[in-house]
């Protein structure tokens, strides 16, 4: 086990230990997160499913699902990729493998504690920043800052002249995430109230998605796909267009989440206009990745990591088309607060982002453990459970959202909307449960890879080897 | 030269992110600071107390250290009739003050001046407790609401205010809002009617000054249930609320709201233990058509959490 390295000398810790610790942790949190999601969805379809117990009430579990997925699965998968991509791109070693292991350890402990407290009802009552402020401080200073120091120092110690686009994303996004956590939680730390609190809640919520979850996932794809296909990235310059337009435009549209609240009108209009500009980085990203596939499209079928990556990139198209336009007043009035937004949020987190991270975790774990994936068949089962489950969820929630929007503007009594949504709530539960099942298959596959996967010889990549099973 | 490019890159990230924070945080802060509190804002802030959500006085978010809202139809000092009745916010000794009472800047410039000059809110102190109320003043022909420290201006003491109101007119509004947050009601219900046809069913959207001093605002973003900002104006029946919270399917067979029967606690109003399992068996029989009527919902105890929650709904969500 990796715990023995927590007190070892840094030089004695094998490279890749932090990657492996983070990798398996992230898969476990993915199972926890999607399992909670499936449980919650069952409650929305069948309200008397597990009833009358405070700890299993929907209002106690919904936020645990969200934060287990964001801070457990997605962010740990990001940390995992940073632990192996950053040094590889700088042609060097990770600055401190020991710090990486401690970060992973503290992260698991802190998140378990925070989510348990949240589950019991210790909450700040603020969406996405619901963790109580002592836990926020643990996240900032115990988790994000050590992760950032490790990544920044590795970049600084690189033995290459340039900095590849992925590392630009990693370094900048950790910095912006720490700032977002500090500023976004200032209402709790300094007792800021009223509209300031409401606005900062969504300033946090927007930035944690727009400056962390989607750009880092894109940065990962910029590494994984050239590695897998052997093609160089189509254009590093277009990658920089992506990177800089994210920083310039997508750090500003926070108030498009609150178009109905009495915020200053200039702020809402500014946010809506800036929000449409997400199309610039989106087109740059998708075009760059798809053009990188030139001549290697067979890998989309044959190679499971490529399959996950390309699926994630293709899902970025509807994601950004929705994201750019649904936040304008012309469309937002219809779909605000409906299941459409839930579908969109899952398109970003479970669709685009998660598919890219799953590919990176598959790729990185094989690379760092020097073992070939145990079973291609199981990986494909994982893929199909994931994509069919996700699409079921996404489509059913989009339809439910459109029904809800129509009910809202035509003043249909609310209970009729609830009745009309019922079949889609069942579909959402089925879809979520499929994703959950696929993830358990994934964990088994990775566990067997660690134990019985074919050893990868030095200087070779796992995906270059033929499967033996 | 190449190295310098990276220094420019790093500076560029800091500069761009700093510029976006200037535009999206620093500039709006002037708008937020100039927002003048309305009656609704004063009422919410003073009945909620310092912070709803995790805090020193209330780490479990179950409503410790919250003020009491009382409806007074008699003056606690003179005994004279007050018609129409007024709301007063009773801060027992040691109860932390609401944010705008500690920091009057949060009230907006005009309301701050009125609340200090006429309302004497700066003369209240936490150790002794105080009774606050909302008064109105005319400024240049416009009516303004302001916070008033009635302990100073009218001589209302904490004990007199509570005994004049009696248990029936004492509302656990702050504690009720805490339970709203603790139980995560806001994951499905919103507190923000939108500027579309929404207002025809759910009532008017909130005004600029309706939030001064409120923490958290808990607008909610994912509406799986009706907006409840004005629910008490649509339905003010305490009995309906009781049945609906105990088991929403009693009054709305197609509702997907969870049952909140556990907020009743262990005993009913007479101190007898509540037998939940028998209740559920009888209810299941009713749903199957084996009983003509559902079982009776037990009367909640005086200090049950559900009382506070219903108090908040019926008092604050008008």
């Amino acid at each position: 086990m990796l715990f023995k390295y927590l007190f070892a000398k840094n030089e004695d810790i094998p490279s890749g230990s932090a990657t492996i610790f983070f990798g398996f942790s992230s898969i476990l949190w993915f199972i926890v997160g999607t399992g909670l999601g499936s449980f919650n969805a069952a409650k929305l379809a069948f309200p008397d499913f597990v009833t009358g117990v405070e700890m299993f009430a929907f209002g106690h579990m919904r936020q645990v699902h969200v934060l287990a997925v964001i801070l457990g699965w997605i962010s740990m998968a990001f940390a995992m990729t940073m632990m192996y991509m950053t040094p590889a791109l700088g042609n060097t070693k990770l600055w401190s493998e020991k710090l990486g292991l401690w970060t992973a350890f503290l992260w698991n402990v802190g998140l378990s504690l925070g989510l348990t407290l949240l589950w019991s009802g210790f909450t700040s009552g603020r969406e996405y920043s619901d963790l109580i402020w002592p836990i926020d401080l643990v996240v900032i200073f115990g988790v994000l800052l050590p992760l950032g120091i490790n990544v920044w120092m590795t970049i600084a110690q690189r033995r290459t002249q340039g900095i590849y686009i992925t590392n630009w994303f990693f370094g900048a996004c950790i910095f912006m995430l720490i700032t977002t956590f500090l500023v976004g939680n200032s209402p709790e730390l300094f007792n800021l109230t009223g509209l300031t609190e409401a606005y900062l809640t969504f300033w946090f919520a927007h930035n944690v998605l727009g400056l962390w979850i989607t750009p880092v996932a894109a940065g990962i794809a910029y590494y994984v796909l050239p590695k897998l296909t052997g093609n160089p990235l189509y254009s590093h310059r277009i990658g920089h267009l992506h990177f800089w337009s994210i920083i310039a435009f997508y750090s500003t549209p926070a108030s498009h989440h609150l178009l109905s609240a009495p915020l200053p009108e200039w702020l809402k209009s500014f946010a809506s206009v800036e929000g449409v500009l997400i199309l610039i980085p989106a087109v740059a990203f998708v075009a760059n990745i798809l053009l990188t596939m030139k001549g290697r499209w067979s890998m989309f079928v044959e190679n499971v990591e490529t399959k996950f990556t390309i699926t994630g990139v293709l899902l970025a198209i509807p994601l950004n088309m929705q994201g750019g336009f649904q936040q304008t007043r012309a469309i937002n009035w219809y779909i605000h607060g409906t299941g459409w937004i839930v579908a969109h949020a899952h398109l970003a987190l479970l669709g685009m982002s998660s598919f890219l991270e799953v590919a990176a975790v598959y790729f990185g774990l094989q690379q760092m453990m020097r073992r070939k994936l145990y079973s291609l068949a199981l990986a494909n089962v994982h893929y199909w459970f994931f994509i069919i489950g996700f699409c079921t969820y996404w489509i059913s929630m989009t339809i439910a959202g459109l029904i809800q929007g129509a009910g809202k503007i035509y003043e249909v009594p609310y209970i009729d909307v609830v009745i009309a949504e019922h079949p889609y709530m069942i579909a959402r539960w089925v879809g979520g449960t499929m994703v959950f099942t696929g993830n358990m298959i994934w964990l088994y596959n990775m566990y067997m890879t660690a134990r019985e996967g074919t050893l990868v010889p030095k200087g070779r990549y796992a995906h270059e080897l033929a499967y033996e099973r | 030269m190449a190295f310098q490019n990276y220094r420019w890159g790093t500076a560029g990230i800091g500069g761009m992110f700093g510029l976006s924070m200037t535009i999206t945080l620093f500039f709006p802060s002037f708008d937020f600071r100039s927002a003048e509190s309305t009656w609704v804002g004063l009422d919410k802030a003073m009945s909620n107390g310092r912070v709803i959500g995790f805090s020193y006085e209330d780490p479990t978010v179950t409503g410790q250290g919250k003020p009491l809202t009382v409806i007074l139809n008699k003056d606690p000092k003179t005994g004279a009739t007050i018609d129409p009745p007024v709301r007063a916010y009773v801060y027992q000794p040691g109860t932390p003050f609401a944010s705008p009472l500690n920091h009057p800047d949060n009230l907006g410039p005009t309301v701050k001046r009125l609340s200090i000059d006429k309302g004497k809110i700066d003369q209240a102190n936490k150790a002794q407790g105080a009774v606050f109320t909302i008064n109105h003043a005319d400024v240049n022909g416009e009516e303004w609401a302001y916070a008033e420290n009635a302990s100073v201006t009218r001589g209302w003491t904490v004990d007199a205010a509570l005994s004049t109101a009696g248990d029936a007119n004492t509302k656990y509004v702050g504690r009720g809002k805490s339970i709203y947050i603790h139980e995560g009601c806001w994951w499905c219900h919103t507190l923000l009617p939108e500027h579309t046809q929404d207002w025809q069913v759910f009532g008017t959207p909130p005004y600029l000054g309706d939030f001064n001093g409120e923490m958290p605002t808990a607008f909610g973003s994912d509406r799986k249930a009706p907006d409840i900002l004005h629910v008490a104006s649509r339905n003010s029946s305490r009995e309906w609320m009781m049945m609906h919270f105990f088991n929403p399917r009693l009054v709305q067979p197609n509702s997907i709201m969870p049952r909140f029967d556990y907020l009743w606690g262990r005993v009913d109003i007479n101190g007898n233990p509540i037998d939940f399992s028998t209740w559920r068996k009888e209810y299941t029989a009713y749903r199957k058509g084996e009983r003509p009527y559902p079982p009776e919902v037990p009367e909640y105890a005086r200090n049950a959490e559900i009382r506070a929650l219903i108090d908040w709904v019926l008092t604050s969500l008008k």
Side-chain angles (χ1 to χ4, degrees):
Chain A
M1 279 302 288
L2 293 162
F3 291 110
K4 67 181 179 213
Y5 293 126
L6 284 174
F7 296 102
K9 273 193 196 147
N10 193 32
E11 308 85 79
D12 298 341
I13 305 174
S15 287
S17 301
T19 310
I20 295 167
F21 196 161
F22 267 123
F24 277 98
S25 308
S26 72
I27 301 175
L28 274 171
W29 281 108
F30 200 12
I31 289 174
V32 171
T34 47
L36 285 168
S38 162
F39 185 83
N40 292 346
K43 282 178 155 297
L44 291 175
F46 310 105
D48 283 333
F49 171 67
V50 190
T51 194
V53 187
E54 181 165 13
M55 286 296 270
F56 294 109
F58 181 84
H60 280 260
M61 300 192 74
R62 195 263 197 198
Q63 60 273 49
V64 185
H65 157 66
V66 172
L67 291 183
V69 169
I70 292 181
L71 294 176
W73 153 239
I74 292 179
S75 298
M76 274 205 202
F78 284 170
M80 182 267 189
T81 60
M82 288 168 186
M83 293 293 119
Y84 78 88
M85 288 181 190
T86 310
L89 288 168
N91 195 14
T92 180
K93 280 189 151 185
L94 188 64
W95 182 64
S96 168
E97 202 74 40
K98 192 172 179 178
L99 181 64
L101 281 175
W102 271 101
T103 312
F105 179 70
L106 253 182
W107 198 325
N108 279 303
V109 172
L111 191 59
S112 307
L113 180 69
L115 291 185
T116 309
L117 288 173
L118 192 60
W119 190 13
S120 329
F122 291 68
T123 174
S124 63
R126 304 175 62 230
E127 191 166 358
Y128 287 104
S129 34
D130 349 40
L131 289 176
I132 58 176
W133 61 261
I135 299 287
D136 289 329
L137 295 179
V138 172
V139 172
I140 295 167
F141 295 106
V143 170
L144 299 179
L145 202 58
L147 176 71
I149 289 171
N150 222 345
V151 169
W152 297 324
M153 290 310 289
T154 307
I155 295 177
Q157 280 189 356
R158 72 188 181 282
R159 295 191 293 175
T160 53
Q161 199 190 16
I163 299 177
Y164 185 65
I165 189 70
T166 300
N167 274 349
W168 278 109
F169 271 110
F170 285 174
C173 289
I174 299 177
F175 166 71
M176 292 192 293
L177 182 69
I178 293 173
T179 317
T180 300
F181 252 87
L182 281 169
V183 176
N185 286 304
S186 58
E188 291 158 56
L189 300 170
F190 304 111
N191 196 17
L192 308 178
T193 56
L195 275 180
T196 315
E197 183 274 324
Y199 178 54
L200 280 172
T201 298
F202 280 88
W203 192 85
F204 177 91
H206 177 85
N207 285 355
V208 88
L209 298 168
L211 299 180
W212 175 246
I213 289 171
T214 44
V216 177
I220 287 172
Y222 282 129
Y223 175 86
V224 169
L225 207 69
K227 275 285 177 201
L228 288 170
T229 57
N231 283 349
L233 182 66
Y234 175 74
S235 164
H236 199 248
R237 195 165 283 198
I238 294 179
H240 267 287
L241 173 66
H242 174 192
F243 175 71
W244 288 103
S245 53
I246 288 278
I247 309 255
F249 305 142
Y250 221 54
S251 53
T252 50
S255 57
H256 70 203
H257 296 258
L258 288 170
L259 288 179
S260 282
L263 292 177
E265 289 300 316
W266 68 263
L267 185 63
K268 292 194 252 181
S269 301
F270 176 72
S272 277
V273 173
E274 293 272 302
V276 178
L277 296 178
I278 185 67
L279 291 171
I280 295 173
V283 171
F285 168 61
V286 173
N288 210 356
I289 292 287
L290 295 186
L291 287 166
T292 304
M293 282 295 282
K294 203 167 161 189
R296 304 306 302 269
W297 276 99
S298 59
M299 289 190 79
F300 181 34
V301 183
E302 290 158 5
N303 177 282
V304 73
E305 293 90 356
T306 312
K307 199 182 282 181
F308 272 107
T309 303
I310 292 298
T311 308
V313 173
L314 292 177
L315 288 173
I317 300 171
L319 171 69
N320 290 294
M321 293 302 276
Q322 284 188 352
F325 293 115
Q326 74 186 17
Q327 49 90 47
T328 60
R329 290 180 211 239
I331 297 178
N332 194 263
W333 68 283
Y334 196 90
I335 45 110
H336 180 81
T338 68
W340 172 288
I341 304 295
V342 182
H344 175 78
H346 282 79
L347 176 57
L349 300 190
L350 183 62
M352 181 259 185
S353 178
S354 282
F355 273 91
L356 298 176
E357 290 130 38
V358 167
V361 173
Y362 265 115
F363 179 80
L365 277 183
Q366 291 179 66
Q367 250 1 86
M368 289 296 134
M369 298 193 299
R370 307 301 304 161
R371 279 182 189 274
K372 172 83 177 169
L373 189 62
Y374 173 69
S375 163
L376 176 65
L378 286 181
N380 275 321
V381 170
H382 177 212
Y383 175 83
W384 287 109
F385 266 70
F386 198 171
I387 187 72
I388 295 173
F390 162 72
C391 285
T392 310
Y393 186 102
W394 179 39
I395 294 167
S396 65
M397 282 317 289
T398 302
I399 298 173
L402 291 172
I403 293 173
Q404 221 179 326
K408 180 166 81 172
I409 64 156
Y410 295 115
E411 296 163 45
V412 175
Y414 201 89
I415 193 65
D416 292 335
V417 174
V418 173
I419 295 167
E421 280 184 324
H422 181 61
Y424 304 98
M425 292 294 155
I426 296 174
R428 144 199 247 194
W429 170 58
V430 171
T433 308
M434 280 188 77
V435 175
F436 170 60
T437 314
N439 288 336
M440 290 203 289
I441 296 171
W442 185 28
L443 181 65
Y444 172 75
N445 201 4
M446 290 327 284
Y447 176 72
M448 291 309 284
T449 304
R451 286 179 64 116
E452 292 180 18
T454 316
L455 285 172
V456 178
K458 231 179 162 44
R460 303 298 300 271
Y461 284 107
H463 64 268
E464 296 169 346
L465 272 57
Y467 283 94
E468 288 178 1
R469 286 176 196 82
Chain B
M1 191 61 201
F3 177 67
Q4 271 190 342
N5 284 339
Y6 302 133
R7 293 205 2 209
W8 295 342
T10 322
I13 294 166
M16 277 183 170
F17 195 44
L19 178 65
S20 94
M21 284 173 60
T22 308
I23 298 173
T24 61
L25 294 175
F26 182 62
F27 290 173
S29 71
F30 294 100
D31 294 87
F32 296 145
R33 277 183 77 87
S34 65
E36 301 271 14
S37 188
T38 58
W39 185 90
V40 174
L42 289 167
D43 175 59
K44 277 202 286 191
M46 290 200 285
S47 58
N48 285 354
R50 192 175 75 93
V51 169
I52 306 278
F54 180 82
S55 61
Y56 293 119
E57 65 268 19
D58 187 21
T60 55
V61 200
T62 45
Q64 316 295 318
K66 293 283 170 277
L68 298 168
T69 304
V70 295
I71 315 284
L72 296 174
N73 45 30
K74 276 194 307 201
D75 189 310
K77 191 179 181 204
T78 63
T81 308
I82 304 178
D83 190 37
V86 298
R87 283 187 196 182
Y89 311 92
V90 181
Y91 285 73
Q92 287 159 307
T95 304
F97 283 172
S99 147
L101 299 170
N102 281 330
H103 309 285
D105 278 341
N106 288 349
L107 293 168
T110 312
V111 181
K112 173 191 173 187
R113 189 163 47 76
L114 290 170
S115 301
I116 290 177
D117 295 351
K118 294 185 165 224
K120 314 286 183 206
I121 59 168
D122 54 333
Q123 294 179 27
N125 102 40
K126 180 179 143 186
Q128 290 170 356
V131 179
F132 296 95
T133 186
I134 301 172
N135 210 335
H136 294 87
D138 213 61
V139 180
N140 302 330
E142 261 186 86
E143 197 182 67
W144 290 77
Y146 65 90
E148 183 176 315
N149 177 1
S151 296
V152 170
T153 57
R154 309 185 195 197
W156 295 357
T157 62
V158 168
D159 293 339
L162 287 178
S163 63
T164 307
D167 186 52
N169 279 332
T170 300
K171 311 290 181 191
Y172 294 81
V173 173
R175 188 174 169 215
K177 172 96 185 268
S178 304
I179 291 161
Y180 180 75
I181 298 298
H182 182 85
E183 295 300 333
C185 311
W186 54 288
W187 292 115
C188 300
H189 291 284
T190 49
L191 293 173
L192 188 67
E194 294 167 16
H195 290 141
T196 52
Q197 277 88 335
D198 241 13
W199 63 270
Q200 299 185 31
V201 180
F202 295 139
T204 43
Y207 293 93
L208 175 62
D210 285 0
F211 306 103
N212 291 26
E214 193 183 5
M215 165 78 184
T217 40
F219 289 151
S221 66
D222 176 7
R223 196 188 272 176
K224 298 186 272 296
D227 188 281
I228 55 167
L229 186 63
H230 304 295
V231 68
S233 304
R234 303 196 288 277
N235 182 350
S236 59
S237 160
R238 189 168 274 271
E239 288 69 29
W240 189 93
M241 292 291 165
M242 257 178 70
M243 293 175 75
H244 188 249
F245 277 118
F246 199 82
N247 184 336
R249 262 73 64 198
L250 285 174
V251 288
Q252 178 44 269
N254 292 300
S255 169
I256 58 166
M257 183 166 130
R259 302 181 192 184
F260 288 96
D261 46 6
Y262 56 81
L263 293 181
W264 263 249
R266 297 225 175 94
V267 292
D268 65 8
I269 191 165
N270 301 317
N272 302 322
I274 302 174
D275 187 352
F276 289 102
S277 58
T278 307
W279 197 96
R280 283 185 195 143
K281 249 178 253 154
E282 292 177 356
Y283 172 75
T284 312
Y286 161 72
R287 281 299 283 237
K288 286 183 185 157
E290 292 163 9
R291 278 174 61 109
Y293 302 109
E296 286 279 322
V297 172
E299 276 284 343
Y300 49 76
R302 249 192 82 242
N303 59 354
E305 289 182 312
I306 189 62
R307 182 219 174 144
L309 187 57
I310 296 181
D311 276 353
W312 173 68
V313 171
L314 293 181
T315 312
S316 206
L317 303 181
K318 287 262 169 114

